[in-house]
Amino acid sequence: GTSGLIELARRLKSDGPKKNNYVFIAFSGEEKGLLGSNYFCKNPTIDLSKVNYMINLDMIGRLKHDDKALIISGSGTSPRWKSLMDSIIVDSIRIKQTESGVGPSDHTSFYLQNIPVLHFFSGTHSDYHKPSDDADHINYEGEMDILKMILNVIRMTSNDGKLAFTKTKDDQNENAPK
């Protein structure tokens, strides 16, 4: 996710839409209760009312080679997401969408501030949250395909102005930070 974040920033700087500002943040403490993102949302260094949406890159480097399934959560947090998600296709990636803006990752902290979110997640694996999750396990082509998808989302919303927020049925409220 971190290398994807850096590559996404590089691409947006070189050939991305220029009408909006982009903030790139890497949070820590997700596994211990969304500590970093929760702290940021409660003590923001920018005006959160001006944040259009939040895109969360979570385990995007581990797209499975044999089953290219990508989970995108938060598709119900803005009316714009549904049509946009239906129009974005990259290679043979199979997308599973969930509408809820609440889940066990950093997008939840932003959703709870009424900010539309999208959470890109390639799923768990045998090295999940273990020291054995190392660079030799990364699916670099799959990660680039996911980044292309995210760049398309950003490009397709660059002229939309402020996206409307929609509260969703929050299936995983127990994971929300307090």
Side-chain angles (χ1 to χ4, degrees), residues 73-155:
S73 300
S75 64
T77 63
S78 176
R80 179 69 171 107
W81 291 149
K82 178 72 173 128
S83 63
L84 193 137
M85 289 290 103
D86 289 344
S87 70
I88 294 178
I89 299 168
V90 175
D91 289 337
S92 60
I93 294 177
R94 184 174 48 87
I95 296 173
K96 178 184 175 193
Q97 293 182 46
T98 62
E99 291 187 0
S100 179
V102 173
S105 195
D106 293 309
H107 63 286
T108 299
S109 300
F110 289 80
Y111 169 78
L112 294 173
Q113 298 295 317
N114 299 328
I115 296 170
V117 298
L118 288 176
H119 172 229
F120 290 78
F121 182 61
S122 65
T124 59
H125 46 77
S126 60
D127 299 307
Y128 192 64
H129 290 169
K130 295 180 185 172
S132 57
D133 189 10
D134 214 339
D136 61 330
H137 298 293
I138 301 283
N139 175 350
Y140 293 100
E141 287 180 27
E143 183 171 0
M144 287 308 299
D145 287 342
I146 294 169
L147 288 177
K148 287 177 195 172
M149 190 179 297
I150 293 167
L151 282 165
N152 283 335
V153 167
I154 294 168
R155 285 188 178 108

Side-chain angles (χ1 to χ4, degrees), residues 45-62:
T45 56
I46 59 173
D47 182 356
L48 290 184
S49 70
K50 294 182 179 180
V51 173
N52 197 4
Y53 56 84
M54 189 270 200
I55 295 178
N56 184 9
L57 313 180
D58 191 354
M59 301 300 297
I60 62 166
R62 292 298 297 265

